[in-house]
Amino acid sequence: MSIIPRIPRPRAITATGALLAVALLLACAVAWHANRAASAHREATRRLLNDHAAYAASEFARRAAATLEAGFVTLQHYPTAELEQRPVSTPLPSAATYRAAIREQDFWCQCFDAVDRFFALDLNGGALDVAGPALDAASTAALRREVTTHAAYLARHPREAHVNLYGEIEGRSRRNSYQLRVRQSTVRVLGSGATAQALMFTIVFDDRDRPRAAYGLVAPPAAFAAPVFRRVIGRNALLPASVSRGAPNDSLLRVVVAGPGDAEIYRSAAGSSAAARAREPLPGAFGWLSARVELRPEAAARLVEGGVPASPLPWLVGLLAVTAAVVAVAFLQLRRQHELARLRADFVSGVSHELRTPLTQIRMFSELLLGGRLRTDDERD
């Protein structure tokens, strides 16, 4: 029986290395699938949060526009109710009188308390009366141009001069009911960017349905819109109750409203990070305003069970690194084992060779002794 140790054959080493390589590839495949599944989960969560943000933005835009249009009714009520019942020879009320009446009647919108500049423009004589800070020459020219252009358009299209607001309500007439109708009003933007101002006005007609005067206001959008936005956020749930679970809007989202040139005119709360964002322009005459709703990152867990899952990529990379290190160590140990076995075999083979030479001589001399082939006693000794 041979005493030389068996050295692992190259085929066995190759097979073991192949198995280790296959194990590493399987670990990479599992990590790739796990990361893909987690990415799909995160993407679905983000889409759901974006849908919530889009719903809140749409709801805010709709309610804000409705409240601003309700404030429009206040701007129209006094000129329509007072002036169109007076003879043409009656002097027009001043802009200061108009401002006082608007602030007294502004119980629904409550958005004109911060507006200082109101105006009255006589469309026949061209006299412009301004209550509040004076307008510069460029703004005055733009105001006259916008008002006279709109008045001329309504004079050419009399059917568009009236707007039905609330349908039929009780009143005195031959049919015992009538429709509440007010004169056409509009909104224009003077300037652009952070210095842009809103021009809101209504046209007053005489008894022959001819434009007589224009009454309105000129103010930065934030002056009359910010109170409306605060009221909408404070009094209306912008997300369904099943999603918000009764939480107030401020704890779930921020609302940012931009005016002309994308200049920010209102922000409900500080902060810049968001789990999701959605933008929606206000409908109707206030389409030049756009609302952006940002869901707070800390509210994501409340809106979506578990919130946005964290990326497992760092953990997967770490596990793959550990797996690769273990495979590398296994390869090194296998190679070291093979090298040690080879060294041991070489050592035993060398020792055996060194022992075999004298043993061969001893065996030869023994055979000579046993065979009696030695000629003298000295050779035998």
Side-chain angles (χ1 to χ4, degrees), residues 291-347:
R292 185 176 76 245
V293 169
E294 302 175 348
L295 297 181
R296 293 177 178 271
E298 60 271 18
R302 178 176 296 179
L303 299 176
V304 178
E305 190 66 30
V308 179
S311 174
L313 192 59
W315 293 96
L316 294 176
V317 171
L319 290 176
L320 284 178
V322 172
T323 304
V326 171
V327 171
V329 170
F331 270 115
L332 292 176
Q333 290 294 340
L334 184 63
R335 182 177 179 182
R336 182 180 180 187
Q337 180 184 2
H338 178 264
E339 184 68 19
L340 290 176
R342 186 186 65 78
L343 291 176
R344 184 173 58 184
D346 291 343
F347 173 77

Side-chain angles (χ1 to χ4, degrees), residues 372-380:
R373 297 179 182 181
L374 299 176
R375 292 170 294 182
T376 62
D377 292 337
D378 293 336
E379 289 181 351
R380 185 179 295 110

Side-chain angles (χ1 to χ4, degrees), residues 143-380:
L143 184 151
R144 289 181 179 274
R145 181 177 62 253
E146 296 292 345
V147 172
T148 54
T149 300
H150 187 64
Y153 174 82
L154 294 181
R156 295 192 304 268
H157 303 81
R159 292 185 179 181
E160 299 183 21
H162 291 86
V163 179
N164 296 329
L165 290 182
Y166 302 109
E168 294 188 356
I169 62 174
E170 294 299 325
R172 295 180 180 181
S173 69
R174 296 179 181 179
R175 298 181 181 179
N176 296 324
S177 65
Y178 65 91
Q179 287 187 328
L180 176 61
R181 299 195 299 178
V182 296
R183 294 293 186 178
Q184 175 66 275
S185 298
T186 189
V187 181
R188 297 288 189 269
V189 178
L190 304 180
S192 62
T195 61
Q197 298 196 79
L199 169 63
M200 305 171 62
F201 63 93
T202 185
I203 303 297
V204 180
F205 294 76
D206 59 19
D207 54 356
R208 296 183 182 180
D209 279 343
R210 294 176 301 186
R212 181 185 180 189
Y215 282 82
L217 60 85
V218 179
F224 64 86
V228 173
F229 300 151
R230 286 193 292 267
R231 180 179 180 182
V232 170
I233 295 173
R235 298 188 180 185
N236 302 278
L238 300 181
L239 289 170
S242 59
V243 175
S244 63
R245 302 175 186 176
N249 292 322
D250 288 340
S251 65
L252 300 176
L253 49 84
R254 286 187 297 268
V255 176
V256 182
V257 181
D262 207 27
E264 182 177 312
I265 64 173
Y266 175 78
R267 177 180 287 269
S268 63
S272 58
S273 60
R277 291 182 175 90
R279 192 165 188 165
E280 183 77 15
L282 271 63
F286 297 93
W288 47 277
L289 295 175
S290 61
R292 185 176 76 245
V293 169
E294 302 175 348
L295 297 181
R296 293 177 178 271
E298 60 271 18
R302 178 176 296 179
L303 299 176
V304 178
E305 190 66 30
V308 179
S311 174
L313 192 59
W315 293 96
L316 294 176
V317 171
L319 290 176
L320 284 178
V322 172
T323 304
V326 171
V327 171
V329 170
F331 270 115
L332 292 176
Q333 290 294 340
L334 184 63
R335 182 177 179 182
R336 182 180 180 187
Q337 180 184 2
H338 178 264
E339 184 68 19
L340 290 176
R342 186 186 65 78
L343 291 176
R344 184 173 58 184
D346 291 343
F347 173 77
V348 173
S349 177
V351 170
S352 299
H353 176 74
E354 294 297 330
L355 292 176
R356 189 180 293 115
T357 300
L359 287 175
T360 300
Q361 293 179 355
I362 293 173
R363 183 178 179 179
M364 181 185 67
F365 286 125
S366 299
E367 290 178 351
L368 290 175
L369 289 173
L370 291 175
R373 297 179 182 181
L374 299 176
R375 292 170 294 182
T376 62
D377 292 337
D378 293 336
E379 289 181 351
R380 185 179 295 110

